Amino acid sequence: MELDQAIYGRRATRAYTHEPIDRSVLEAVIDAAIQAPSAMDSQPWGFCILRNRLMLENISREAKALLMRAPPAGLDAHRFDDMLGNPDFDIFYQAPVLILICATKDSAWSHIDCTLAAQNLMLAAHGKGLGSCWIGFAQSWFQTGKGRAALDLPPHWQPVAPIIVGHPSADTPAPPREKPELLWRD
Ligand SMILES: Cc1cc2nc3c(=O)[nH]c(=O)nc-3n(C[C@H](O)[C@H](O)[C@H](O)COP(=O)(O)O)c2cc1C
């Protein structure tokens, strides 16, 4: 796939088939993720791959409850009341896989490095005909003691980017981009 096609064609996918994804394919998208740049080449990332649908359903339920009870600063959770209060709403959209990218080194830039890895991972997934979506709704739950324990994360792993991956079951239209502000300083 051409680079432009990948960049312009990737979408946040919110509808998946139940088709599983081979371990080798997941390893390949993770290999693409770690080609991202990192500050001082520290490569401060780890990948926790969750393929247990029952666990994903439980996490979705608990993450919604946490968001309603204690919304993270800066998130107007009331905007999502209908969604979060709906027992049928799965924050993971029935995707078969969640890859949680975690910062594994305590550097000033490790979270930024992990987000660069996340973008590579989402583009690589698109290149393989897979859909993906960063699930911010899950982020605060994974940072709780219960969330960390559910995945048995090593103590130095800090959850940064929960990304679902799967075979899309529908096309997603591209949300139009706003014109960016440009400040030219010639
Ligand atoms: C940090 C971050 C958190 C996000 N959290 C969610 C989420 O919890 N649920 C969701 O459906 N989409 C989530 N998204 C996807 C965005 O809504 C999506 O990227 C945006 O609408 C633009 O669409 P596009 O990715 O198809 O261009 C998140 C994206 C980012 C970068």
Side-chain angles (χ1 to χ4, degrees):
M1 184 182 281
E2 290 289 323
L3 183 59
D4 272 4
Q5 222 182 325
I7 291 174
Y8 285 85
R10 180 215 54 82
R11 292 276 68 80
T13 300
R14 300 188 177 91
Y16 294 91
T17 70
H18 294 300
E19 192 182 337
I21 304 176
D22 285 347
R23 194 182 172 123
S24 61
V25 174
L26 294 172
E27 284 169 347
V29 296
I30 290 169
D31 193 59
I34 66 167
Q35 306 311 312
S38 62
M40 297 174 295
D41 194 26
S42 61
Q43 304 180 36
W45 36 56
F47 301 80
C48 178
I49 302 111
L50 179 57
R51 295 186 289 176
N52 181 320
R53 269 302 322 160
L54 193 61
M55 271 182 80
L56 287 168
E57 279 168 26
N58 288 335
I59 293 170
S60 171
R61 199 171 316 114
E62 297 207 5
K64 285 189 293 183
L66 178 66
L67 282 174
M68 293 187 80
R69 203 169 59 238
L75 177 75
D76 177 13
H78 292 308
R79 211 181 119 199
F80 304 105
D81 271 353
D82 287 349
M83 239 182 211
L84 298 174
N86 177 358
D88 294 328
F89 174 64
D90 173 3
I91 65 167
F92 301 122
Y93 306 104
Q94 275 90 44
V97 182
L98 172 83
I99 300 177
L100 178 64
I101 306 180
C102 296
T104 56
K105 291 180 189 166
D106 193 16
S107 98
W109 294 287
S110 59
H111 281 56
I112 294 170
D113 298 333
C114 286
T115 63
L116 292 169
Q119 174 70 341
N120 266 21
L121 190 149
M122 293 188 283
L123 289 175
H126 177 60
K128 294 185 181 305
L130 298 169
S132 67
C133 187
W134 182 316
I135 302 298
F137 276 168
Q139 227 152 319
S140 45
W141 190 81
F142 281 122
Q143 284 158 357
T144 64
K146 197 170 180 189
R148 300 183 57 87
L151 298 183
D152 198 13
L153 294 180
H156 62 287
W157 282 40
Q158 291 300 325
V160 175
I163 314 265
I164 49 170
V165 182
H167 294 273
S169 64
D171 282 342
T172 306
R177 268 22 186 186
E178 292 167 17
K179 219 170 154 32
E181 291 183 60
L182 303 179
L183 296 173
W184 298 91
R185 301 280 190 258
D186 294 330

mmCIF file of all heavy atoms in Angstrom, residues 21 30 45 55 68-69 86 109 149 169:
data_model
loop_
_atom_site.group_PDB
_atom_site.id
_atom_site.type_symbol
_atom_site.label_atom_id
_atom_site.label_comp_id
_atom_site.label_asym_id
_atom_site.label_seq_id
_atom_site.Cartn_x
_atom_site.Cartn_y
_atom_site.Cartn_z
ATOM 1 N N ILE A 21 -7.656 -12.857 14.591
ATOM 2 C CA ILE A 21 -6.476 -12.405 13.832
ATOM 3 C C ILE A 21 -5.302 -13.284 14.236
ATOM 4 O O ILE A 21 -5.060 -13.502 15.432
ATOM 5 C CB ILE A 21 -6.145 -10.935 14.151
ATOM 6 C CG1 ILE A 21 -7.362 -10.063 13.881
ATOM 7 C CG2 ILE A 21 -4.967 -10.449 13.325
ATOM 8 C CD1 ILE A 21 -7.161 -8.624 14.266
ATOM 9 N N ILE A 30 2.954 -5.139 15.412
ATOM 10 C CA ILE A 30 3.762 -4.657 16.543
ATOM 11 C C ILE A 30 5.191 -4.360 16.071
ATOM 12 O O ILE A 30 5.814 -3.380 16.494
ATOM 13 C CB ILE A 30 3.727 -5.680 17.704
ATOM 14 C CG1 ILE A 30 2.326 -5.680 18.328
ATOM 15 C CG2 ILE A 30 4.794 -5.359 18.758
ATOM 16 C CD1 ILE A 30 2.059 -6.801 19.299
ATOM 17 N N TRP A 45 8.707 0.974 25.112
ATOM 18 C CA TRP A 45 7.355 0.473 24.944
ATOM 19 C C TRP A 45 7.249 -1.014 25.186
ATOM 20 O O TRP A 45 8.176 -1.777 24.975
ATOM 21 C CB TRP A 45 6.863 0.787 23.527
ATOM 22 C CG TRP A 45 7.918 0.694 22.457
ATOM 23 C CD1 TRP A 45 8.712 -0.402 22.178
ATOM 24 C CD2 TRP A 45 8.332 1.722 21.556
ATOM 25 N NE1 TRP A 45 9.566 -0.102 21.154
ATOM 26 C CE2 TRP A 45 9.361 1.190 20.741
ATOM 27 C CE3 TRP A 45 7.919 3.045 21.342
ATOM 28 C CZ2 TRP A 45 9.988 1.926 19.747
ATOM 29 C CZ3 TRP A 45 8.549 3.768 20.346
ATOM 30 C CH2 TRP A 45 9.574 3.218 19.566
ATOM 31 N N MET A 55 -13.171 -11.130 28.846
ATOM 32 C CA MET A 55 -12.458 -10.096 29.616
ATOM 33 C C MET A 55 -12.729 -8.714 29.031
ATOM 34 O O MET A 55 -12.943 -7.738 29.757
ATOM 35 C CB MET A 55 -10.952 -10.367 29.596
ATOM 36 C CG MET A 55 -10.487 -11.274 30.721
ATOM 37 S SD MET A 55 -8.706 -11.501 30.656
ATOM 38 C CE MET A 55 -8.119 -9.981 31.420
ATOM 39 N N MET A 68 -18.180 7.248 34.456
ATOM 40 C CA MET A 68 -19.350 7.984 34.941
ATOM 41 C C MET A 68 -19.151 8.422 36.383
ATOM 42 O O MET A 68 -19.565 9.496 36.791
ATOM 43 C CB MET A 68 -20.607 7.120 34.801
ATOM 44 C CG MET A 68 -20.948 6.887 33.336
ATOM 45 S SD MET A 68 -22.498 6.046 33.085
ATOM 46 C CE MET A 68 -23.664 7.368 33.294
ATOM 47 N N ARG A 69 -18.460 7.559 37.148
ATOM 48 C CA ARG A 69 -18.245 7.826 38.576
ATOM 49 C C ARG A 69 -17.149 8.861 38.778
ATOM 50 O O ARG A 69 -17.248 9.758 39.616
ATOM 51 C CB ARG A 69 -17.821 6.498 39.218
ATOM 52 C CG ARG A 69 -18.047 6.376 40.681
ATOM 53 C CD ARG A 69 -17.848 4.947 41.163
ATOM 54 N NE ARG A 69 -16.533 4.380 40.914
ATOM 55 C CZ ARG A 69 -16.314 3.273 40.209
ATOM 56 N NH1 ARG A 69 -17.314 2.637 39.648
ATOM 57 N NH2 ARG A 69 -15.100 2.807 40.041
ATOM 58 N N ASN A 86 -25.529 3.051 28.642
ATOM 59 C CA ASN A 86 -26.198 2.004 27.860
ATOM 60 C C ASN A 86 -25.489 0.660 28.070
ATOM 61 O O ASN A 86 -24.344 0.488 27.641
ATOM 62 C CB ASN A 86 -26.171 2.405 26.376
ATOM 63 C CG ASN A 86 -26.772 1.331 25.483
ATOM 64 O OD1 ASN A 86 -27.172 0.268 25.965
ATOM 65 N ND2 ASN A 86 -26.836 1.611 24.200
ATOM 66 N N TRP A 109 9.936 11.450 27.898
ATOM 67 C CA TRP A 109 9.257 11.371 26.599
ATOM 68 C C TRP A 109 8.602 10.020 26.329
ATOM 69 O O TRP A 109 8.088 9.798 25.246
ATOM 70 C CB TRP A 109 10.257 11.681 25.479
ATOM 71 C CG TRP A 109 10.747 13.097 25.525
ATOM 72 C CD1 TRP A 109 10.033 14.212 25.190
ATOM 73 C CD2 TRP A 109 12.029 13.544 25.943
ATOM 74 N NE1 TRP A 109 10.806 15.324 25.379
ATOM 75 C CE2 TRP A 109 12.035 14.952 25.839
ATOM 76 C CE3 TRP A 109 13.175 12.898 26.402
ATOM 77 C CZ2 TRP A 109 13.151 15.715 26.174
ATOM 78 C CZ3 TRP A 109 14.282 13.655 26.729
ATOM 79 C CH2 TRP A 109 14.254 15.050 26.610
ATOM 80 N N ALA A 149 -4.040 -5.165 37.533
ATOM 81 C CA ALA A 149 -4.038 -6.553 38.014
ATOM 82 C C ALA A 149 -4.701 -7.476 36.988
ATOM 83 O O ALA A 149 -4.257 -8.610 36.785
ATOM 84 C CB ALA A 149 -4.752 -6.641 39.356
ATOM 85 N N SER A 169 -16.282 -4.592 9.693
ATOM 86 C CA SER A 169 -17.503 -5.172 9.126
ATOM 87 C C SER A 169 -18.286 -4.130 8.334
ATOM 88 O O SER A 169 -19.326 -4.426 7.772
ATOM 89 C CB SER A 169 -18.387 -5.754 10.224
ATOM 90 O OG SER A 169 -18.835 -4.736 11.073
#
